[in-house]
Amino acid sequence: MSVCEVCHNHCNLKEGMTGMCMGRICRDGKIICANYGLISSIALDPIEKKPFARFFPGSMVVSVGSYGCNLRCPFCQNHSISYGFESPLSGPPVKYISPKELVSIASSYKEEGNIGIAFTYNEPLIGFEYVRDTSILAHEAGLKTVLVSNGCVSEKIYDDIIPNIDAMNIDLKGFTDNYYTDVLHGDRQMVMEFIKAAAPHCHIELTTLIVPGLNDSDEEILELSAWIAKIRDDIPLHISRYFPRFHMTDIPATDVGTIYHLAEVARCNLKYVYTGNC
Ligand code: SF4
């Protein structure tokens, strides 16, 4: 048995077993990345779509995703590639793209306004080795590197990731431990530690998806924004609207007025607050 130290799940895996995220596997007594370079989605996206509001606005970024996730958000909008399948074999179709090949693809789109590579769509950090290896090559080629993550990873992988990424959008999905543990099956403290560790080293923006009745009180958003402001009050926060999806269909979409109101609440503490999905 070997224990994976990448995230809060601490999967204890026998030889050949895949972790809860489906992206890591025990081989020869070691936990390795099983989804290395296995790309399920690739697109040239506007940087605002990640979302980033204050990192090279108006630019494009080659965006890639694999499969698997270490959280279990019941409203996941990307469930077909995150965890809505039984095993990697029944997961989304994938194509192997080596780090070198991906850098070459991204470089070929520079004339279309591409600034680099974004690791996104599923949770990229369960396959942090691919993010690291590709980012190193991307920097050598003069490209920017962008990460969109739930941030629920341990300090064991900080040195592989933080120095190699130029911009991160990290989800801070709420500000109560209960919401993180009971609804998302994550670890809020772990996310907060990751944000604190990354903030001094790269551009960061944060996203909070507001789900009615679960994380939509003024008090929670005041507390969340105050905590961010203690790191820096110019960290952009995206307050985003939830829609019923996947396993969560009993809670209706967030009222647009609630999003605008909570953005005003967050502006008590932060300079840059944006609304999303409205
Ligand atoms: S990264 Fe995957 S295998 Fe490792 S502990 Fe987390 S869920 Fe388990």
Side-chain angles (χ1 to χ4, degrees):
M1 298 283 257
S2 300
V3 177
C4 178
E5 295 183 313
V6 171
C7 85
H8 61 295
N9 290 311
H10 302 295
C11 297
N12 197 350
L13 303 177
K14 283 188 197 154
E15 188 64 23
M17 268 175 74
T18 303
M20 176 265 208
C21 62
M22 295 192 215
R24 305 189 70 76
I25 191 167
C26 181
R27 278 215 191 107
D28 300 325
K30 280 190 185 161
I31 312 283
I32 59 162
C33 175
N35 64 2
Y36 190 98
L38 298 179
I39 303 299
S40 67
S41 327
I42 181 163
L44 183 64
D45 282 340
I47 195 90
E48 285 78 8
K49 200 175 162 187
K50 301 298 97 190
F52 282 96
R54 304 185 69 81
F55 185 73
F56 291 90
S59 65
M60 306 292 283
V61 66
V62 167
S63 304
V64 292
S66 181
Y67 64 84
C69 188
N70 55 340
L71 298 192
R72 288 292 178 267
C73 308
F75 44 75
C76 182
Q77 317 235 334
N78 285 337
H79 55 85
S80 63
I81 60 167
S82 60
Y83 77 99
F85 46 90
E86 295 288 312
S87 77
L89 288 177
S90 58
V94 289
K95 177 181 186 302
Y96 179 72
I97 302 181
S98 70
K100 197 173 158 195
E101 200 183 344
L102 182 54
V103 169
S104 163
I105 292 169
S107 298
S108 74
Y109 281 96
K110 276 186 182 172
E111 282 188 9
E112 280 79 11
N114 180 40
I115 58 164
I117 298 172
F119 303 94
T120 177
Y121 302 137
N122 72 315
E123 173 47 51
L125 293 184
I126 59 169
F128 74 90
E129 297 92 333
Y130 184 71
V131 175
R132 175 197 62 205
D133 297 350
T134 308
S135 295
I136 291 169
L137 292 183
H139 280 159
E140 286 171 10
L143 295 167
K144 300 289 179 201
T145 58
V146 170
L147 174 73
V148 181
S149 173
N150 63 41
C152 204
V153 288
S154 81
E155 72 286 355
K156 301 278 182 191
I157 69 163
Y158 287 5
D159 290 347
D160 287 286
I161 292 303
I162 293 173
N164 295 313
I165 298 294
D166 296 306
M168 297 187 190
N169 187 305
I170 305 168
D171 286 334
L172 183 55
K173 292 175 186 275
F175 215 62
T176 62
D177 287 332
N178 282 352
Y179 181 55
Y180 258 94
T181 53
D182 299 350
V183 180
L184 315 176
H185 300 275
D187 182 330
R188 181 173 70 112
Q189 300 301 328
M190 195 171 252
V191 176
M192 290 162 70
E193 288 305 315
F194 184 66
I195 292 168
K196 279 196 282 183
H201 299 283
C202 62
H203 175 88
I204 69 165
E205 303 197 12
L206 304 176
T207 297
T208 304
L209 184 82
I210 302 294
V211 185
L214 296 183
N215 63 351
D216 61 344
S217 72
D218 289 13
E219 295 72 26
E220 183 162 346
I221 298 305
L222 256 187
E223 221 186 311
L224 178 145
S225 54
W227 178 80
I228 298 168
K230 272 198 234 153
I231 302 173
R232 277 201 334 262
D233 67 359
D234 61 354
I235 293 177
L237 174 66
H238 299 259
I239 301 268
S240 194
R241 190 175 176 219
Y242 145 96
F243 290 95
R245 290 278 186 281
F246 197 35
H247 293 317
M248 188 176 275
T249 50
D250 53 335
I251 298 180
T254 318
D255 182 67
V256 173
T258 303
I259 298 297
Y260 288 129
H261 169 71
L262 292 177
E264 278 305 309
V265 170
R267 286 184 189 114
C268 296
N269 292 310
L270 296 169
K271 284 185 182 154
Y272 305 115
V273 181
Y274 302 91
T275 54
N277 292 345
C278 287

